[in-house]
Amino acid sequence: MTDPFTGAAPAPRRMQLRGIHHVTMICADLQRTRAFYRDLLGLGVVREGDNDDDPGAQHVWFGDAGGSPGTLVTFLEYPQMDEGRVGRGSTHHLAFHVSSREELDAWREYLVGAGVPCSDVLERSGLRSVYFRDPDGHLLEIAAA
């Protein structure tokens, strides 16, 4: 895009955000969270151990086998914390992508069969999705274009 006044091309940006590297959430029980995200949803455990910023707090990273940015969801275990409250400053939901509408339908059937309550398949502006909650109440979405 050129400058409408000078016709010059803009200078290249020195800094540029490339996407989301990871999202970190808080859970009460990492064993329960691991069972949900690894065993039920099929995410790989990329790394686990003490949190670098809060030694003593356990931290688990889930994602693809290579730990690629954009696939990472991490959890810090804080069983003593109060339940979260939805409002400004909180996250509404986390959405995972699948490659087809048929795969989305299969995911919904799988989750319902595993006893996970899910929304119906919703269709909005070309996006189809289902919503459900993890054991700590985080709202999750699986979406397909």
Side-chain angles (χ1 to χ4, degrees), residues 33-46:
T33 298
R34 198 178 290 107
F36 187 84
Y37 285 87
R38 182 194 61 198
D39 302 340
L40 183 71
L41 297 184
L43 298 178
V45 174
V46 174

Side-chain angles (χ1 to χ4, degrees), residues 102-125:
E102 293 77 22
E103 188 175 2
L104 175 67
D105 293 338
W107 268 104
R108 184 180 186 286
E109 184 178 324
Y110 166 73
L111 290 168
V112 168
V116 177
C118 293
S119 71
D120 291 334
V121 174
L122 305 173
E123 189 147 1
R124 301 172 315 282
S125 302

Side-chain angles (χ1 to χ4, degrees), residues 95-107 127-130 141-145:
F96 294 100
H97 176 260
V98 293
S99 59
S100 71
R101 292 168 171 243
E102 293 77 22
E103 188 175 2
L104 175 67
D105 293 338
W107 268 104
L127 182 71
R128 293 182 85 224
S129 59
V130 296
E141 174 185 17
I142 298 177

Side-chain angles (χ1 to χ4, degrees), residues 7-101:
R13 291 184 64 108
R14 254 183 357 108
M15 301 180 301
Q16 185 177 356
L17 298 176
R18 304 280 180 189
I20 294 174
H21 183 272
H22 68 277
V23 174
T24 298
M25 299 188 287
I26 295 172
C27 68
D29 180 341
L30 274 178
Q31 184 174 348
R32 182 179 69 180
T33 298
R34 198 178 290 107
F36 187 84
Y37 285 87
R38 182 194 61 198
D39 302 340
L40 183 71
L41 297 184
L43 298 178
V45 174
V46 174
R47 178 174 34 166
E48 57 187 317
D50 277 352
N51 180 300
D52 294 334
D53 299 321
D54 185 7
Q58 292 298 296
H59 194 178
V60 173
W61 293 66
F62 298 96
D64 70 7
S68 305
T71 70
L72 300 170
V73 179
T74 85
F75 286 86
L76 295 168
E77 181 182 56
Y78 289 110
Q80 72 283 5
M81 282 190 171
D82 292 337
E83 293 291 320
R85 191 174 73 102
V86 176
R88 288 186 310 274
S90 68
T91 301
H92 185 269
H93 71 278
L94 174 65
F96 294 100
H97 176 260
V98 293
S99 59
S100 71
R101 292 168 171 243

